[in-house]
Amino acid sequence: MVRTEISLFLKNVPGELGKLASLLGDKGINIDALTIQDASSYVQNLFQARGKSLKRIASVASYNSMRKDSANFALIRLLVDQTDRTIDLLSKNDYIFDIMPVMALELDNRPGTLAAIAGKFGEESVNINYVYGSVSSQDEKCLFVFCPEDIELAAKIFKDWS
């Protein structure tokens, strides 16, 4: 199913994730999925995009500054059960964020399931930009979040997935 992922930067210091989680939890918003990475890898992707493009996305000085500053931040990607309320809450609390459609699929927790899903993306020529997921127990389904390059095609491919 297509869901809205929220991406935001947090300071890479103790307590910031706790503040965000408390802000959401205090309003009854549940985090369904979350991944955190050092923002410097995100900035590295900008460098690569600039190298593949004929036009510059930002000045060289801006890139050097971003690369230096990005180590001080973490890139958080999350799915929540109340997206609109979360967006409103983040806006009111001066968070800088972006939203993006992603595929959130519940998978059986058994060997080969992820391979079959990833294979299906490949068979349909849909590139996966990134993926994250979790497993709570062997008896329950897993939630995996896929960010495909073509969300519309991915939605068609997996519309009947359960």
Side-chain angles (χ1 to χ4, degrees):
M1 109 171 26
V2 176
R3 298 217 15 214
T4 300
E5 177 186 78
I6 301 170
S7 300
L8 61 138
F9 287 103
L10 290 182
K11 291 179 184 173
N12 197 6
V13 296
E16 287 298 305
L17 179 60
K19 281 192 232 178
L20 175 64
S22 293
L23 179 68
L24 300 177
D26 290 348
K27 296 296 183 183
I29 298 169
N30 191 51
I31 298 172
D32 295 332
L34 172 109
T35 183
I36 302 173
Q37 69 186 64
D38 182 309
S40 62
S41 62
Y42 178 78
V43 171
Q44 290 299 324
N45 288 335
L46 288 177
F47 275 92
Q48 291 172 356
R50 187 187 84 178
K52 293 177 183 174
S53 171
L54 294 177
K55 66 180 185 176
R56 188 173 293 225
I57 296 170
S59 70
V60 173
S62 293
Y63 277 104
N64 289 335
S65 176
M66 286 188 312
R67 186 170 44 186
K68 179 182 173 191
D69 294 343
S70 65
N72 297 324
F73 292 90
L75 174 63
I76 311 293
R77 291 184 171 118
L78 58 110
L79 295 183
V80 293
D81 65 346
Q82 300 174 58
T83 304
D84 291 341
R85 283 190 67 207
T86 301
I87 289 169
D88 186 50
L89 193 59
L90 293 173
S91 296
K92 288 178 181 174
N93 285 275
D94 298 322
Y95 282 91
I96 297 171
F97 63 92
D98 195 10
I99 58 172
M100 164 173 269
V102 294
M103 293 296 305
L105 300 174
E106 289 188 2
L107 308 180
D108 290 329
N109 186 10
R110 63 177 200 269
T113 304
L114 180 59
I117 296 299
K120 184 69 174 165
F121 275 105
E123 289 168 15
E124 300 291 339
S125 299
V126 177
N127 190 49
I128 302 169
N129 292 323
Y130 59 85
V131 63
Y132 54 96
S134 67
V135 178
S136 57
S137 77
Q138 289 185 330
D139 300 328
E140 296 182 43
K141 291 196 177 244
C142 323
L143 178 64
F144 272 76
V145 179
F146 297 86
C147 180
E149 283 185 0
D150 187 336
I151 190 71
E152 291 175 10
L153 180 54
K156 287 178 188 174
I157 294 166
F158 295 104
K159 72 178 178 179
D160 295 326
W161 185 263
S162 55

